[in-house]
Structures are given as structure tokens and as C-alpha cells.
Amino acid sequence: MVQPLFANQRETNLVSTTRLVENVLHELARGSHSIQVSPIPQVPTRTPRVLRAWRVARGSAVAQVMMIEAADFTHLRVEADVMTLDGKVDRPALYAHLLDLNGSLCGAAFAIAGDHVLLVTERSTLDLDRSEVRDLIDRLATYADEHDDALVAKFGGALGRT
């Protein structure tokens, strides 16, 4: 039995969004954004439902761009490990500072995963367009590069790596 062309809307969405993300990443890598892009075949991440992933480096920050499985449609998640905490970090002071910083960020937020401070943004891929993909990746990589060194200088710990 022949299936209609768009019978599996989730799979079609995944394929088209993957192409869209790859095109945007190539565009960013070619531009004046000083971004290095590489695919990640096996993603070492805290998000177990990763379908596709790429690494994006800007300055001292490294982010992962991931297509993750979700109940509705695939989601595009961009995540940067901005710092790793050690025993000398004043966590309550750092956490208060991160909450303060969250109020100044657009479409992204700081989060904690064990001893790691992350910057994250995530969106459903339903009706996602090129400008949104570019903005999610560019904004998060920029925020991560702007804040990683300053946070480590102020609170201790080490620069994070994803």
C-alpha cells in the first residue's frame, strides 16, 4: 500500500527542520560570526532523546544545537555549559546572581544540572522558520560567550565545555 507523501508529519518535520538547521549553521560558520560548527555523532548529554546534534563554538563558549524528541513535535534545543562548579563556589550567591541575569535575557535562561551552569533555550519545530533558528543559535552562543568568563572570574569554578 502506497502512503501519501506527508503521511508521517513528524518525520517530514524532522527531515525538513534538520536541513533548515544545517543550512543556518553553515551560513553562520561562513559569516563573520567567528563560529565553528561540527556535527556530533554520539551526543553526551543530559537529554536522552537527542535525534541530531551539532556543536557550535563562539569565543570561549561551546554550545550544542540539538533536535530532541518531544510529545508533540521535535524540539530544537540549544544548550551551553557555561561553567563547572567546584567546592569553593558560593552557590547561594551564584544562584541569586543567575536568577537576576535571567531577567535580562531574551528567550533563554540559566539552569543548573549537577555541578554545571547551563544556558538553555528550546522551541517546538512546528512552524519554525530560518530567522528563528538563526536567532536561537546566535543568541544563545552570544550569551554564553558574554557570560562564561565573567561568571568564572566572579564566582570561581571553571569554564564549562559541552
Side-chain angles (χ1 to χ4, degrees), residues 60-77:
S60 58
V62 179
Q64 288 185 51
V65 177
M66 300 173 281
M67 304 283 293
I68 61 173
E69 192 175 294
D72 51 357
F73 277 86
T74 304
H75 282 199
L76 178 62
R77 180 180 178 92

Side-chain angles (χ1 to χ4, degrees), residues 77-140:
R77 180 180 178 92
V78 186
E79 173 182 296
D81 186 350
V82 295
M83 70 184 290
T84 303
L85 307 179
D86 59 27
K88 298 176 185 171
V89 173
D90 179 353
R91 290 176 188 237
L94 171 64
Y95 296 166
H97 184 70
L98 295 176
L99 285 173
D100 253 359
L101 287 174
N102 277 347
S104 68
L105 301 178
C106 176
F110 284 99
I112 303 296
D115 287 336
H116 298 271
V117 174
L118 309 176
L119 255 170
V120 297
T121 187
E122 185 172 322
R123 183 203 187 287
S124 167
T125 59
L126 182 63
D127 297 329
L128 185 65
D129 69 29
R130 173 182 286 283
S131 65
E132 291 171 303
V133 171
R134 184 182 177 103
D135 183 63
L136 289 171
I137 296 167
D138 198 32
R139 182 184 307 269
L140 194 99

